[in-house]
Amino acid sequence: QPQQHHFNWLIPNIRVRIVSKKIPAYYLQKGVVQDVTRTSQSSTKAVLLMDNGQVIDKVPERYLETALPKAGGNIIVLEGNHHWKKGKLLERSSEGGCGVIQFAEDLEVVTVSLDSIAEYCNDCDE
């Protein structure tokens, strides 16, 4: 079920969910990426600050998927035309798999695939 993202979607300050049962204590729990190490193209690992305050290290990228905020929350675009732009999620439609977002910089409003965005947890007051 998790989407296969392009190679470098995993960046610090995004919220992710652990979708591997290999980490049973945290299966389906969310946390925020603190740091990312790439040892090779096939091996990208993250340090996560889990929502319960625990830090877990060396979590393989393939164990993770992006998590989305509620409407009104901050997002960053991880792929496509608006790569790395930040903004707010105005609304999400699960059936269409799309979200309407407004960019912080120029206030442009666009519709994007929910798979291409993640909750952004840095400078959330911008």
Coordinates of all heavy atoms in Angstrom, one line a residue, residues 13-66:
N13 N 12.3 17.1 9.1 CA 11.1 18.0 9.4 C 9.8 17.5 8.8 O 8.8 18.3 8.9 CB 11.4 19.4 9.1 CG 12.6 19.9 9.8 OD1 12.8 19.7 11.0 ND2 13.5 20.6 9.0
I14 N 9.7 16.4 8.1 CA 8.4 15.9 7.7 C 7.9 14.9 8.6 O 8.7 14.2 9.3 CB 8.4 15.4 6.2 CG1 9.4 14.2 6.1 CG2 8.8 16.5 5.2 CD1 9.2 13.5 4.7
R15 N 6.6 14.8 8.7 CA 6.0 13.8 9.5 C 5.8 12.5 8.7 O 5.3 12.6 7.5 CB 4.6 14.3 10.1 CG 4.0 13.3 11.1 CD 2.7 13.9 11.6 NE 3.0 15.0 12.5 CZ 3.3 14.9 13.8 NH1 3.5 13.8 14.3 NH2 3.5 16.0 14.5
V16 N 6.1 11.4 9.3 CA 6.0 10.1 8.6 C 5.3 9.1 9.5 O 5.2 9.3 10.7 CB 7.4 9.5 8.2 CG1 8.0 10.4 7.1 CG2 8.3 9.4 9.4
R17 N 4.8 8.0 8.9 CA 4.2 6.9 9.6 C 5.1 5.7 9.4 O 5.5 5.4 8.2 CB 2.8 6.7 9.1 CG 2.1 5.6 9.8 CD 0.7 5.3 9.2 NE -0.2 6.4 9.5 CZ -0.6 7.3 8.5 NH1 -0.2 7.3 7.3 NH2 -1.4 8.3 8.9
I18 N 5.3 4.9 10.4 CA 6.0 3.6 10.2 C 5.0 2.5 9.7 O 4.0 2.3 10.4 CB 6.7 3.2 11.5 CG1 7.8 4.2 11.9 CG2 7.3 1.8 11.4 CD1 8.5 4.0 13.2
V19 N 5.3 2.0 8.6 CA 4.4 1.0 8.0 C 5.0 -0.4 7.9 O 4.5 -1.2 7.1 CB 3.9 1.5 6.6 CG1 2.9 2.7 6.8 CG2 5.0 1.9 5.7
S20 N 6.0 -0.6 8.6 CA 6.6 -2.0 8.7 C 6.4 -2.6 10.0 O 6.6 -2.0 11.1 CB 8.1 -1.9 8.4 OG 8.7 -3.1 8.7
K21 N 5.9 -3.9 10.0 CA 5.7 -4.6 11.2 C 7.1 -5.0 11.8 O 7.1 -5.6 12.9 CB 4.8 -5.8 11.0 CG 3.4 -5.4 10.6 CD 2.5 -6.5 10.5 CE 1.0 -6.0 10.4 NZ 0.2 -6.9 9.6
K22 N 8.2 -4.7 11.1 CA 9.5 -5.1 11.7 C 9.8 -4.2 12.9 O 10.8 -4.5 13.6 CB 10.6 -4.9 10.6 CG 10.4 -6.0 9.5 CD 11.6 -6.1 8.7 CE 11.5 -7.3 7.7 NZ 12.1 -7.0 6.4
I23 N 9.1 -3.1 13.1 CA 9.3 -2.3 14.3 C 7.9 -2.4 15.0 O 7.2 -1.4 15.0 CB 9.6 -0.9 13.9 CG1 10.8 -0.8 12.9 CG2 10.1 -0.1 15.2 CD1 11.2 0.6 12.5
P24 N 7.6 -3.5 15.6 CA 6.3 -3.7 16.1 C 5.8 -2.7 17.1 O 4.6 -2.3 17.1 CB 6.3 -5.1 16.8 CG 7.8 -5.5 16.9 CD 8.5 -4.7 15.9
A25 N 6.7 -2.2 18.0 CA 6.3 -1.2 19.0 C 5.8 0.0 18.4 O 5.0 0.8 19.0 CB 7.5 -0.9 19.9
Y26 N 6.2 0.3 17.1 CA 5.8 1.6 16.5 C 5.0 1.4 15.2 O 4.9 2.4 14.5 CB 7.1 2.4 16.2 CG 7.7 2.9 17.5 CD1 8.9 2.3 18.0 CD2 7.1 3.9 18.3 CE1 9.4 2.7 19.2 CE2 7.7 4.3 19.5 CZ 8.8 3.7 19.9 OH 9.4 4.1 21.1
Y27 N 4.5 0.2 15.0 CA 3.8 0.0 13.7 C 2.6 1.0 13.6 O 1.8 1.1 14.6 CB 3.3 -1.5 13.7 CG 2.5 -1.8 12.5 CD1 3.1 -1.6 11.2 CD2 1.2 -2.3 12.6 CE1 2.4 -2.0 10.1 CE2 0.5 -2.7 11.4 CZ 1.1 -2.5 10.2 OH 0.4 -2.8 9.1
L28 N 2.5 1.7 12.5 CA 1.5 2.7 12.3 C 1.5 3.9 13.2 O 0.6 4.8 13.1 CB 0.1 2.1 12.3 CG -0.1 1.0 11.2 CD1 -1.6 0.5 11.3 CD2 0.2 1.5 9.8
Q29 N 2.6 4.1 13.9 CA 2.8 5.3 14.7 C 3.4 6.4 13.9 O 4.1 6.0 12.9 CB 3.7 5.0 15.9 CG 3.2 3.9 16.8 CD 2.1 4.4 17.7 OE1 2.1 5.5 18.2 NE2 1.1 3.5 17.8
K30 N 3.3 7.6 14.3 CA 3.8 8.7 13.5 C 5.0 9.4 14.3 O 5.0 9.4 15.5 CB 2.8 9.8 13.2 CG 1.7 9.3 12.3 CD 0.7 10.4 12.1 CE -0.5 10.0 11.3 NZ -1.5 11.0 11.3
G31 N 5.9 10.0 13.5 CA 6.9 10.7 14.1 C 7.5 11.7 13.1 O 7.0 11.8 11.9
V32 N 8.4 12.5 13.5 CA 9.0 13.6 12.7 C 10.4 13.2 12.4 O 11.2 12.9 13.3 CB 8.9 15.0 13.3 CG1 9.6 16.0 12.5 CG2 7.4 15.3 13.6
V33 N 10.8 13.3 11.1 CA 12.2 13.0 10.7 C 13.1 14.0 11.2 O 12.9 15.2 11.0 CB 12.3 12.9 9.1 CG1 13.7 12.6 8.7 CG2 11.3 11.9 8.6
Q34 N 14.1 13.6 12.0 CA 15.1 14.5 12.5 C 16.3 14.6 11.6 O 16.9 15.7 11.5 CB 15.6 14.1 13.9 CG 14.4 13.9 14.9 CD 13.7 15.2 15.2 OE1 14.4 16.2 15.7 NE2 12.5 15.3 14.8
D35 N 16.7 13.5 11.1 CA 17.9 13.4 10.3 C 17.8 12.3 9.3 O 17.1 11.3 9.5 CB 19.1 13.2 11.3 CG 20.4 13.4 10.6 OD1 20.5 14.2 9.6 OD2 21.4 12.9 11.1
V36 N 18.5 12.4 8.2 CA 18.5 11.4 7.2 C 19.9 11.0 6.8 O 20.7 11.9 6.6 CB 17.7 11.9 5.9 CG1 17.8 10.9 4.8 CG2 16.3 12.3 6.2
T37 N 20.2 9.7 6.7 CA 21.6 9.3 6.2 C 21.4 8.5 5.0 O 20.5 7.6 5.0 CB 22.3 8.5 7.2 OG1 21.4 7.9 8.1 CG2 23.4 9.3 8.0
R38 N 22.1 8.8 3.9 CA 22.1 8.0 2.7 C 23.5 7.3 2.6 O 24.4 8.0 2.3 CB 21.9 8.9 1.5 CG 20.5 9.4 1.5 CD 20.1 10.0 0.1 NE 18.7 10.3 0.2 CZ 18.2 11.4 0.7 NH1 18.9 12.4 1.1 NH2 16.9 11.5 0.8
T39 N 23.5 6.0 2.8 CA 24.8 5.4 2.6 C 25.0 5.0 1.1 O 26.1 4.9 0.6 CB 24.9 4.1 3.5 OG1 23.7 3.4 3.4 CG2 25.1 4.6 4.9
S40 N 23.8 4.7 0.5 CA 23.9 4.4 -1.0 C 22.5 4.6 -1.5 O 21.6 4.9 -0.7 CB 24.3 2.9 -1.2 OG 23.2 2.1 -0.7
Q41 N 22.3 4.5 -2.8 CA 21.0 4.8 -3.3 C 20.0 3.9 -2.8 O 18.8 4.2 -2.6 CB 21.0 4.6 -4.9 CG 19.7 5.0 -5.5 CD 19.9 5.6 -6.9 OE1 21.0 5.9 -7.3 NE2 18.8 5.7 -7.6
S42 N 20.4 2.6 -2.4 CA 19.4 1.7 -1.9 C 19.2 1.7 -0.4 O 18.4 1.1 0.1 CB 19.9 0.3 -2.3 OG 21.2 0.1 -1.7
S43 N 20.1 2.5 0.3 CA 20.0 2.5 1.7 C 19.9 3.9 2.3 O 20.9 4.6 2.4 CB 21.3 1.8 2.3 OG 21.2 2.0 3.7
T44 N 18.7 4.3 2.5 CA 18.5 5.6 3.2 C 17.8 5.4 4.5 O 16.8 4.6 4.5 CB 17.5 6.5 2.3 OG1 18.2 6.7 1.0 CG2 17.3 7.8 2.9
K45 N 18.3 5.9 5.5 CA 17.8 5.7 6.9 C 17.5 7.0 7.6 O 18.1 8.0 7.3 CB 18.7 4.9 7.7 CG 19.0 3.5 7.1 CD 19.8 2.6 8.1 CE 19.8 1.2 7.7 NZ 20.3 0.8 6.4
A46 N 16.5 7.0 8.5 CA 16.1 8.2 9.2 C 16.2 8.0 10.7 O 16.0 6.9 11.2 CB 14.6 8.5 8.8
V47 N 16.4 9.2 11.3 CA 16.3 9.3 12.8 C 14.9 9.9 13.0 O 14.6 11.0 12.4 CB 17.4 10.2 13.4 CG1 17.1 10.3 14.9 CG2 18.7 9.6 13.1
L48 N 14.0 9.3 13.8 CA 12.7 9.8 14.0 C 12.5 10.2 15.4 O 12.9 9.4 16.3 CB 11.7 8.7 13.6 CG 11.7 8.1 12.2 CD1 10.6 7.1 12.1 CD2 11.6 9.2 11.2
L49 N 11.8 11.3 15.6 CA 11.3 11.7 16.9 C 9.8 11.3 16.9 O 9.0 11.9 16.3 CB 11.5 13.2 17.2 CG 10.8 13.7 18.5 CD1 11.4 13.0 19.7 CD2 10.9 15.2 18.5
M50 N 9.5 10.2 17.7 CA 8.1 9.7 17.6 C 7.2 10.6 18.4 O 7.7 11.4 19.3 CB 8.1 8.3 18.2 CG 9.0 7.3 17.4 SD 8.6 7.3 15.6 CE 7.0 6.6 15.6
D51 N 5.9 10.5 18.2 CA 5.0 11.4 18.9 C 5.0 11.2 20.4 O 4.6 12.1 21.1 CB 3.6 11.2 18.3 CG 3.4 11.8 16.9 OD1 4.4 12.4 16.4 OD2 2.4 11.7 16.3
N52 N 5.4 10.1 20.8 CA 5.5 9.8 22.3 C 6.8 10.3 22.9 O 7.1 10.1 24.1 CB 5.3 8.3 22.6 CG 6.5 7.5 22.1 OD1 7.4 8.0 21.5 ND2 6.4 6.2 22.4
G53 N 7.7 11.0 22.1 CA 8.9 11.5 22.6 C 10.1 10.6 22.5 O 11.2 11.1 22.7
Q54 N 9.9 9.4 22.1 CA 11.0 8.5 21.9 C 11.8 8.8 20.6 O 11.1 9.2 19.6 CB 10.6 7.0 21.7 CG 10.1 6.4 23.1 CD 11.2 6.2 24.0 OE1 12.3 5.9 23.6 NE2 11.0 6.3 25.3
V55 N 13.1 8.7 20.6 CA 13.8 8.8 19.3 C 14.3 7.4 18.9 O 14.8 6.6 19.7 CB 15.1 9.7 19.6 CG1 16.0 9.7 18.3 CG2 14.7 11.1 20.0
I56 N 14.0 7.1 17.6 CA 14.5 5.9 17.1 C 15.4 6.1 15.9 O 15.1 7.0 15.1 CB 13.4 4.8 16.8 CG1 12.3 5.4 15.9 CG2 12.8 4.3 18.0 CD1 11.2 4.4 15.6
D57 N 16.4 5.3 15.8 CA 17.5 5.6 14.8 C 17.5 4.5 13.7 O 17.1 3.4 14.0 CB 18.8 5.6 15.6 CG 20.0 6.2 14.9 OD1 19.7 6.7 13.8 OD2 21.1 6.1 15.4
K58 N 18.1 4.9 12.6 CA 18.4 3.9 11.5 C 17.1 3.2 11.0 O 17.1 2.0 10.8 CB 19.4 2.9 12.0 CG 20.8 3.5 12.4 CD 21.8 2.4 12.6 CE 23.2 2.9 12.8 NZ 23.4 3.6 14.1
V59 N 16.1 4.0 10.8 CA 14.8 3.4 10.3 C 14.9 3.5 8.8 O 15.1 4.5 8.2 CB 13.6 4.2 10.8 CG1 12.3 3.6 10.2 CG2 13.6 4.3 12.3
P60 N 14.9 2.3 8.1 CA 15.0 2.3 6.7 C 13.8 3.1 6.0 O 12.7 3.0 6.4 CB 14.9 0.8 6.3 CG 15.3 0.1 7.5 CD 14.8 0.9 8.7
E61 N 14.2 3.8 4.9 CA 13.2 4.5 4.2 C 12.0 3.7 3.8 O 10.8 4.1 3.8 CB 13.8 5.1 2.9 CG 12.9 5.9 2.0 CD 13.6 6.5 0.8 OE1 14.9 6.6 0.8 OE2 13.0 6.8 -0.2
R62 N 12.2 2.4 3.4 CA 11.1 1.6 2.9 C 10.1 1.2 4.0 O 9.1 0.7 3.7 CB 11.7 0.3 2.2 CG 12.4 -0.6 3.2 CD 12.9 -1.8 2.4 NE 13.6 -2.7 3.4 CZ 14.9 -2.5 3.8 NH1 15.6 -1.5 3.4 NH2 15.4 -3.4 4.7
Y63 N 10.5 1.5 5.3 CA 9.6 1.2 6.4 C 8.6 2.4 6.6 O 7.7 2.3 7.5 CB 10.3 1.1 7.7 CG 11.1 -0.2 7.8 CD1 11.3 -1.1 6.8 CD2 11.6 -0.6 9.1 CE1 12.1 -2.2 6.9 CE2 12.4 -1.7 9.3 CZ 12.6 -2.6 8.2 OH 13.3 -3.7 8.4
L64 N 8.8 3.5 5.8 CA 8.1 4.7 6.1 C 7.2 5.2 5.0 O 7.4 4.9 3.8 CB 9.1 5.8 6.4 CG 10.1 5.6 7.5 CD1 11.2 6.6 7.5 CD2 9.4 5.5 8.8
E65 N 6.1 5.9 5.3 CA 5.4 6.6 4.3 C 5.0 8.0 4.9 O 5.1 8.2 6.1 CB 4.1 5.9 3.9 CG 3.0 5.8 5.0 CD 1.7 5.2 4.5 OE1 1.7 4.5 3.4 OE2 0.7 5.4 5.2
T66 N 4.7 8.9 4.0 CA 4.4 10.3 4.4 C 3.1 10.3 5.2 O 2.2 9.5 4.9 CB 4.3 11.2 3.2 OG1 3.4 10.6 2.2 CG2 5.7 11.3 2.5

